[in-house]
Amino acid sequence: MPVAATIPAPGLADVEAARERIAGIVEHTAMTASASLTEQCGVPVLLKLEHRQVTGSFKLRGAANAVALLPETDRSRGVVAASTGNHGRALAQAARRHGIRAVICMSRLVPENKLAEIRRLGAEVRIVGSSQDEAQEEVDRLVAQEGMVMVPPFDHADIIAGQGTIGLEIVEQAPDTEMILVPLSGGGLAAGIAVAARALKPSIRVIGITMRRGAAMKASLDAGRPVQVREYPSLADSLGGGIGLDNRLTFAMCRALLDEVVLLDEAEIAEGIRHLYRHESEIAEGAGAVGVAALLSGRVRPQGPVVAVISGRNIDMELHRRIVCGENPFGEEAP
Ligand SMILES: *Cc1c(COP(=O)(O)O)cnc(C)c1O
């Protein structure tokens, strides 16, 4: 059944309830100080190591919360989602825990390593078209014709509340945080973190970071309404996809709660991946490295103690090796 037409945006109480609900399923991830970035930026820089989350990205927080909140009648119908990989993997994991059928629809831009893992978790994978929006059409069909329940990757109150649990952890782990750098695509992660962190500490600035290639939320914020942008291959493949022309929650929340959105070139994202590997001994995917990349490139002016959320680690290891060896697989320039 499609989600209802009007849903109130989640707030701090929803995020706190989500934390209780998913406590046994997700990791409370570590936060570490980065000596190299602290020296380079002149302010304390901390890394929220969310790429070490179960399934390799933060997406399990939202998926676990949403699946736990499904009524019994919906569970028997199975869950379905469009995903660039990490949401599909997280939903597959959450569904398996509850013994629920899961179907994941994705475009053929999604790398092979992400597909294999979703299949391993017992979900059915359907490859449809070359954009997130085309994959979404298959989801809509399964909902309409087979009665499956859609669990969307970002524009859903329970998903946003689940992702927001990272915001609670950040403020508890580093109460003097002044700025949080959040990878931004559909905006579920940024909206959730911002709503939780700013409720606890209103002075915190939350900056969304994304790739220049196909930055749908940035284009939408500039236009004052959700707009569609062309999709391109990017090192930050998990940041691909539109925000939905009928976006109900994340667009308004990002407009209200984000202080700024910063765009990065492919070469800058590659540099973030390299830095995390060489100086922090961490393997991050492109989307996970954008906060560090924004600091290294000087595109963010860091204030006070800064937290960069490392959101995922699901990168093809051969691609990672090439980047670490100095290649920029998608070139230097934005198209
Ligand atoms: C999904 C994802 C993001 C972006 O999250 P949104 O809620 O869509 O903004 C960032 N990083 C990784 C690793 C992701 O999987």
Side-chain angles (χ1 to χ4, degrees):
M1 196 175 87
V3 272
T6 53
I7 291 171
L12 180 61
D14 300 292
V15 179
E16 285 172 336
R19 171 156 68 176
E20 299 250 309
R21 204 172 285 125
I22 65 178
I25 301 173
V26 308
E27 296 275 339
H28 183 287
T29 53
M31 181 117 92
T32 58
S34 165
S36 62
L37 289 167
T38 295
E39 192 183 310
Q40 206 159 325
C41 296
V43 297
V45 177
L46 298 118
L47 307 178
K48 175 66 169 162
L49 304 180
E50 189 63 20
H51 63 306
R52 297 195 194 159
Q53 185 55 259
V54 180
T55 70
S57 86
F58 71 89
K59 290 278 198 323
L60 185 61
R61 294 179 186 253
N65 189 47
V67 169
L69 280 166
L70 283 180
E72 203 51 53
T73 48
D74 283 356
R75 291 179 186 208
S76 60
R77 292 150 65 191
V79 290
V80 60
S83 172
T84 54
N86 286 336
H87 174 64
R89 189 162 163 170
L91 184 60
Q93 168 88 7
R96 187 164 81 158
R97 255 189 96 99
H98 292 273
I100 296 174
R101 177 186 176 216
V103 176
I104 309 300
C105 306
M106 54 181 87
S107 88
R108 55 185 154 72
L109 293 182
V110 175
E112 180 61 37
N113 63 315
K114 295 192 172 184
L115 264 81
E117 181 60 22
I118 290 171
R119 291 205 178 100
R120 198 183 64 74
L121 288 169
E124 193 182 316
V125 172
R126 293 205 190 162
I127 309 288
V128 200
S130 57
S131 74
Q132 187 82 349
D133 292 333
E134 284 174 80
Q136 185 60 42
E137 285 171 19
E138 176 68 4
V139 172
D140 295 342
R141 197 191 64 76
L142 286 167
V143 169
Q145 294 178 9
E146 296 186 23
M148 297 192 78
V149 178
M150 176 172 78
V151 181
F154 53 87
D155 197 24
H156 187 297
D158 302 338
I159 296 287
I160 297 166
Q163 323 304 30
T165 58
I166 296 172
L168 301 181
E169 291 177 20
I170 288 173
V171 175
E172 284 168 9
Q173 288 168 308
D176 56 353
T177 299
E178 294 292 338
M179 182 182 269
I180 307 177
L181 307 180
V182 186
L184 175 68
S185 177
L189 178 64
I193 288 178
V195 88
R198 293 181 57 153
L200 295 172
K201 186 174 174 179
S203 66
I204 283 186
R205 292 168 57 79
V206 181
I207 316 279
I209 321 277
T210 194
M211 75 287 201
R212 191 172 302 283
R213 287 185 170 172
M217 182 61 85
K218 170 70 171 151
S220 300
L221 291 171
D222 289 349
R225 65 187 161 80
V227 295
Q228 223 159 352
V229 297
R230 222 182 116 185
E231 282 186 53
Y232 300 93
S234 168
L235 272 180
D237 55 284
S238 291
L239 301 184
I243 70 166
L245 293 178
D246 56 349
N247 187 291
R248 289 162 305 112
L249 292 172
T250 59
F251 172 70
M253 290 179 78
C254 285
R255 182 157 63 174
L257 294 166
L258 296 188
D259 292 283
E260 198 185 335
V261 174
V262 170
L263 303 180
L264 299 177
D265 296 331
E266 295 300 308
E268 292 167 336
I269 297 170
E271 203 47 46
I273 293 173
R274 267 179 220 121
H275 186 94
L276 279 164
Y277 183 74
R278 291 186 186 146
H279 299 277
E280 311 291 342
S281 308
E282 300 291 344
I283 291 170
E285 58 176 280
V290 295
V292 167
L295 289 170
L296 291 170
S297 65
R299 292 197 189 266
V300 161
R301 195 176 288 270
Q303 276 169 17
V306 186
V307 174
V309 178
I310 316 299
S311 54
R313 66 162 182 243
N314 294 323
I315 186 170
D316 178 87
M317 288 311 291
E318 173 57 19
L319 175 62
H320 189 270
R321 187 193 63 75
R322 284 167 54 201
I323 294 163
V324 166
C325 290
E327 283 182 48
N328 290 328
F330 294 106
E332 313 275 338
E333 302 294 323

